[in-house]
Amino acid sequence: MKIDLKKIKLSDFKDETNKKKIIIGGMILGILLLLIISFSVFFYFNRKDGKTKNVVYVNSVKQIMNPGADAGRVNRYAGVVETQKQVNIQPSQDRTVREIFVEEGQEVSIGTVLFAYDIEEDQDKLNKAQLELERIANDITTKQSAIGIAQQSGDQLEVLQAQTELKQSEYEKKTKEVEIQKIKDSIENAEVKSQMKGIVKSIKKVEESAMEAPGEDSAFMTIIAMGDFRIKGKVNEQNISSIMPGQQVLVHSRVDQQMIWKGTMSEVDMQRPENGNENGFMGDPSTQSNSYPFYVNLESSEGLMLGQHVYIEPDFGQTKERKGIWLDESFVVQDGKTAYVWADNGRGKLEKREVQIGKRDEEMFQCEIKKGLREDDLITFPEPGLKEGMKTAKGKNNELGMSNPEIPKDPENGGNPENPNEQEGSMNSEENNNTEVGDES
């Protein structure tokens, strides 16, 4: 029997060829998958970089000129109108309140009857005291007669004893007369009257006020004065240093920003802290902090209502009416004899806008812009790294500055420190003598 060697070799060759095709096809497929993944990663990071591209936030000159309102560059505190004078009334513990003649929220005047005591017990005490006084008076008469008889008999010991008993009875008489007068006064003053004009803030049951610890909240009746208002605010413990006693402040209505009252800041009441987590995260005690009350004494309270909610801010003269455009000097960069601000060019790009400076307000650290700006122009705060042509955007919540500012490299970590003299618009450049007008702080 003959074996066909050619047939066997051809079959083996075909099997080998199929194996090579499978391997090559797998390699090609793997390369294609790798390319797809690479392109996906490339486009993903390109898209991410596009989202985080640095922009410069700008805001209108009109907003920036008013530090007390939209710009938010002056600290504001929430406050409420309350009265300076308050009277807390507690009834006598040995007397019973018979009737109350006023209600909570009722206006009262000087002399208005608030409540009255029950005088039946006082009348019984008066009758008993008067009978006791008559008995003492009879004893005194008897002892006076006893002294005369003892003197006639010549018994000196009996005379001394009678005189001592007489003095004791006379003392009892004076004591009882004082007691009777007090009872009469109580009966005459059974009606308790208001000593000032005001509003009845609260009335409690006598039993409730007696059970509570002595203090403002435990009073049987509380009356607050009318018209003599002050503002009560609260400050977080991290911001206590911003409250300066004696500082002039402005009080704004929450409803009408044109309604403004002037006042003076008082000290923070450190004795009555109030705990709250409005400055921290829910459920995390380590982020909670205390708030402390402070008060503002007003020059005039006309137009304010008791319990009205207001805003309090330091008075830096921001309500002073001035014509033209006035900016904080920190917004203006001096470049030799010329001055400029960083502004939007109207096409969404940043530019150096040359301005002409007029008068200066040394107290407010502001300067007048005579030429170069209008109230509707958009500007930003000068900071290192700004360059002309950078993309601009209207800042939300009056935000200013770069969205993604460059961080100078640390020379200790092998990087090269940024040279402030090489930064365009630098405020400390000795080469081009660019210095910011005024105090940056």
Side-chain angles (χ1 to χ4, degrees), residues 17 50 61 75 97 103 117 147 160 167 181 185 221 246 254 300 338 369 373 386 404 423:
T17 301
V61 172
N75 287 336
V97 176
E103 299 176 348
Y117 292 112
I147 292 174
L160 291 174
K167 289 181 180 180
Q181 188 58 47
D185 291 341
M221 185 178 294
R254 289 193 178 188
S300 172
T338 62
I369 306 298
L373 278 181
L386 292 181
N404 189 26
Q423 294 182 5

Side-chain angles (χ1 to χ4, degrees), residues 70-269:
D70 297 329
R73 287 160 45 226
V74 172
N75 287 336
R76 274 192 166 188
Y77 306 95
V80 64
V81 179
E82 67 171 30
T83 181
Q84 289 202 50
K85 189 175 182 181
Q86 178 171 298
V87 175
N88 299 318
I89 303 173
Q90 289 286 20
S92 300
Q93 294 182 354
D94 57 348
R95 306 189 71 181
T96 303
V97 176
R98 175 175 57 85
E99 187 176 359
I100 300 174
F101 299 101
V102 293
E103 299 176 348
E104 290 184 357
Q106 179 179 334
E107 292 189 20
V108 295
S109 302
I110 297 176
T112 300
V113 179
L114 304 176
F115 61 92
Y117 292 112
D118 188 353
I119 61 172
E120 290 185 6
E121 295 181 4
D122 293 333
Q123 194 63 53
D124 290 341
K125 291 179 181 179
L126 179 61
N127 294 334
K128 291 179 181 179
Q130 288 176 336
L131 291 174
E132 187 67 18
L133 182 61
E134 291 180 5
R135 182 191 64 77
I136 295 173
N138 292 332
D139 287 345
I140 290 175
T141 302
T142 301
K143 288 180 174 61
Q144 288 174 342
S145 299
I147 292 174
I149 295 172
Q151 288 175 343
Q152 291 178 1
S153 64
D155 189 345
Q156 295 298 322
L157 181 60
E158 188 176 348
V159 170
L160 291 174
Q161 184 177 354
Q163 289 176 340
T164 301
E165 291 176 355
L166 176 62
K167 289 181 180 180
Q168 183 176 355
S169 296
E170 289 175 342
Y171 176 78
E172 291 177 356
K173 179 184 177 182
K174 291 181 179 180
T175 303
K176 189 58 65 175
E177 288 174 344
V178 172
E179 180 184 340
I180 290 173
Q181 188 58 47
K182 286 183 177 180
I183 297 174
K184 287 181 178 180
D185 291 341
S186 295
I187 294 174
E188 292 178 0
N189 299 318
E191 292 182 341
V192 178
K193 301 178 181 180
S194 176
Q195 301 299 313
M196 70 176 187
K197 182 180 180 180
I199 295 178
V200 180
K201 179 182 178 182
S202 62
I203 302 174
K204 288 188 176 183
K205 293 182 179 180
V206 179
E207 298 79 7
E208 292 179 355
S209 62
M211 293 176 61
E212 295 179 358
E216 178 180 320
D217 297 333
S218 66
F220 164 63
M221 185 178 294
T222 301
I223 300 177
I224 56 177
M226 285 289 293
D228 192 15
F229 294 149
R230 66 178 179 181
I231 309 297
K232 178 183 179 182
K234 291 182 181 179
V235 60
N236 188 274
E237 60 186 15
Q238 283 87 9
N239 299 321
I240 286 179
S241 59
S242 63
I243 302 297
M244 294 179 288
Q247 181 183 20
Q248 299 298 308
V249 298
L250 298 175
V251 178
H252 293 267
S253 168
R254 289 193 178 188
V255 179
D256 184 359
Q257 285 291 316
Q258 301 302 317
M259 296 184 65
I260 300 174
W261 297 265
K262 292 188 176 183
T264 305
M265 192 83 75
S266 70
E267 294 183 1
V268 179
D269 186 355

Side-chain angles (χ1 to χ4, degrees), residues 4-20:
D4 190 351
L5 296 175
K6 293 183 179 180
K7 188 176 182 179
I8 293 175
K9 288 181 180 180
L10 181 60
S11 175
D12 291 340
F13 176 78
K14 288 182 178 180
D15 290 341
E16 189 68 23
T17 301
N18 289 337
K19 289 181 181 179
K20 287 182 179 180

